[in-house]
């Protein structure tokens, strides 16, 4: 931690700051520059952070040296984290996320019925998707909108998992559902609106399943990493970060997909990174270009919404790909993945 003093700070103020730092069990190092005095503080950064050093008389600013995300920090782990989703049953292939292969997580926004879910699952399986996603508990802006089938939706997902031999992913919104959802699904999702639901994050830290953590609507990359830190520090090292677009002033897209977050995250953390071009853009025709761009930018996984009849979808129809568009996208993704030294697929 570095404390920069105000121009003209008095020697009495310097002595007072030094004394307070020592009282807290830390060591001050005073450097007298030509214009300013700077005090380096050596000791436990968390302890220093918990004090409002900027409130001391004579202090202009306080700068942290260490990153606040310790476990997620790339510097603390030399190798990239690869999440392994075990085979759905013996003989099936495991799915690795964060390795050489770029993984497609796809499915409808919501589970609407067995027919609809199975139709989409068939398409995900056939065209090389690795994980089936679908929402059973839906975080809707309006209480009058479709809220998801809840536990009945979860049961249908479990059926689809067996029938299509695909690992499944669903969102959990309530701490009371975490245990049950984690028993059924292979990956749990914490959605954008719950990125800073700290109790939910702590529960996810004990759930024993990989967690897809989506960036909040107005969250900074550092805030996303601090939310990941909650899951990691609660004992779960299996976190997949997801860029899904942020709020900006631009109305032509539902959100602004921040693809620069991908290389930033790959620099800052060892955790794998996913991109959701469906929620990121809100329009089906923008999904493919942004999915291709995400792979070019270094994404380890994509999450994409599909619906066989988007006009009838109970949620997010306008951003859903038709099965044939999904098939075409998978082919084009394979080309881009190859161009950046990766492949699309599932196998370890
Ligand atoms: C979703 O994935 O279905 C979803 C609701 O996403 P987000 O939390 O990013 O809005
Ligand atoms: Mn959706």
């Amino acid at each position: 931690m570095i404390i920069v003093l105000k121009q003209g700070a008095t020697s009495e103020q310097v002595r007072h700051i030094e004394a307070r730092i020592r009282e807290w069990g830390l060591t001050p190092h005073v450097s007298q520059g030509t214009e300013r005095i700077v005090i380096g503080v050596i000791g436990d950064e968390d302890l220093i952070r918990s004090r409002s050093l900027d409130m001391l008389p004579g202090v202009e600013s306080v700068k942290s040296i260490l990153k606040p995300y310790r476990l997620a920090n790339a510097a603390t782990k030399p190798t990239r984290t690869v999440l392994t989703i075990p085979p759905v049953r013996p003989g099936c292939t495991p799915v690795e996320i964060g390795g050489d292969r770029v993984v497609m997580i796809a499915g409808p926004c919501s589970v609407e019925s067995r027919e609809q879910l199975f139709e989409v699952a068939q398409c995900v399986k056939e065209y090389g998707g690795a994980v089936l996603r679908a929402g059973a508990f839906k975080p809707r802006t309006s209480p009058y909108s479709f809220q998801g089938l809840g536990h009945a939706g979860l049961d249908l997902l479990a059926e689809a998992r067996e029938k299509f031999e695909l690992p499944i992913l669903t969102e959990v919104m309530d701490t009371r559902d975490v245990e049950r959802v984690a028993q059924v699904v292979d990956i749990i999702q914490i959605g954008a609106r719950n990125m800073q639901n700290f109790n939910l994050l702590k529960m996810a830290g004990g759930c024993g399943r990989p967690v897809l953590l989506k960036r909040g609507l107005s969250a900074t990359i550092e805030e996303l990493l601090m939310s990941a830190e909650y899951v990691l520090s609660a004992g779960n090292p299996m976190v997949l970060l997801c860029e899904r677009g942020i709020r900006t002033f631009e109305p032509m897209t539902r959100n602004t997909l921040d693809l620069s977050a991908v290389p930033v995250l790959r620099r800052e953390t060892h955790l794998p990174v996913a991109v959701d071009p469906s929620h990121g853009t809100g329009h089906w025709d923008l999904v493919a270009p942004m999915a291709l761009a995400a792979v070019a930018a270094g994404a380890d996984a994509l999450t994409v919404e599909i619906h066989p009849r988007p006009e009838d979808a109970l949620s997010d129809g306008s951003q859903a790909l038709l099965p044939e568009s999904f098939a075409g996208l998978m082919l084009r993704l394979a080309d881009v993945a190859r161009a950046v030294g990766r492949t699309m697929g599932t196998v370890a």
Side-chain angles (χ1 to χ4, degrees), residues 60-303:
E60 184 178 276
S61 60
V62 179
K63 294 184 174 51
S64 235
I65 298 170
L66 299 181
K67 305 264 169 74
Y69 36 94
R70 289 193 217 153
L71 300 171
N73 191 344
T76 61
K77 187 170 173 282
T79 53
R80 299 203 68 77
T81 293
V82 178
L83 309 180
T84 302
I85 319 297
V88 166
R89 69 167 77 103
C92 294
T93 44
V95 176
E96 288 196 340
I97 306 178
D100 289 340
R101 288 167 193 262
V102 180
V103 166
M104 173 59 83
I105 301 167
C109 178
S110 302
V111 182
E112 297 173 1
S113 66
R114 180 179 283 107
E115 295 66 34
Q116 171 252 16
L117 180 64
F118 283 17
E119 216 174 325
V120 178
Q122 174 62 42
C123 153
V124 172
K125 182 82 183 177
E126 194 170 327
Y127 300 117
V131 177
L132 175 65
R133 64 137 286 149
F137 307 95
K138 295 304 299 178
R140 305 306 300 279
T141 301
S142 167
Y144 309 118
S145 301
F146 176 60
Q147 301 288 304
L149 296 181
H151 289 279
L154 197 58
D155 293 344
L156 290 174
L157 265 166
E159 267 187 52
R161 180 180 189 274
E162 293 309 309
K163 185 171 165 62
F164 297 94
E165 298 183 337
L166 282 170
I168 53 175
L169 171 152
T170 208
E171 174 164 355
V172 60
M173 299 201 298
D174 191 319
T175 49
R176 290 167 298 186
D177 293 328
V178 172
E179 209 178 310
R180 167 83 185 119
V181 171
Q183 275 167 3
V184 177
V185 306
D186 300 273
I187 305 175
I188 71 165
Q189 172 168 310
I190 294 190
R193 289 155 194 81
N194 272 313
M195 188 202 85
Q196 286 187 319
N197 181 337
F198 301 114
N199 288 330
L200 192 58
L201 294 169
K202 286 179 195 168
M203 287 289 289
C207 80
R209 297 284 185 197
V211 179
L212 173 79
L213 176 62
K214 300 188 91 171
R215 181 176 181 183
L217 278 68
S218 300
T220 63
I221 294 174
E222 181 167 305
E223 285 164 344
L224 171 63
L225 288 171
M226 291 313 289
S227 291
E229 199 73 15
Y230 267 90
V231 180
L232 301 171
S233 63
N236 186 348
M238 301 176 285
V239 177
L240 172 58
L241 302 164
C242 183
E243 165 58 41
R244 49 76 71 202
I246 49 174
R247 280 267 164 101
T248 69
F249 47 81
E250 177 53 65
M252 292 241 188
T253 46
R254 180 179 180 182
N255 292 293
T256 296
L257 187 64
D258 179 12
L259 280 187
S260 60
V262 177
V264 170
L265 285 169
R266 287 185 64 94
R267 181 189 70 204
E268 292 296 311
T269 176
H270 52 84
L271 296 170
V273 181
V275 171
D276 175 350
S278 303
H279 294 90
T281 63
H283 299 279
W284 71 270
D285 55 324
L286 304 179
V287 171
M290 296 318 281
L292 296 165
V295 172
D300 298 296
L302 293 168
T303 164

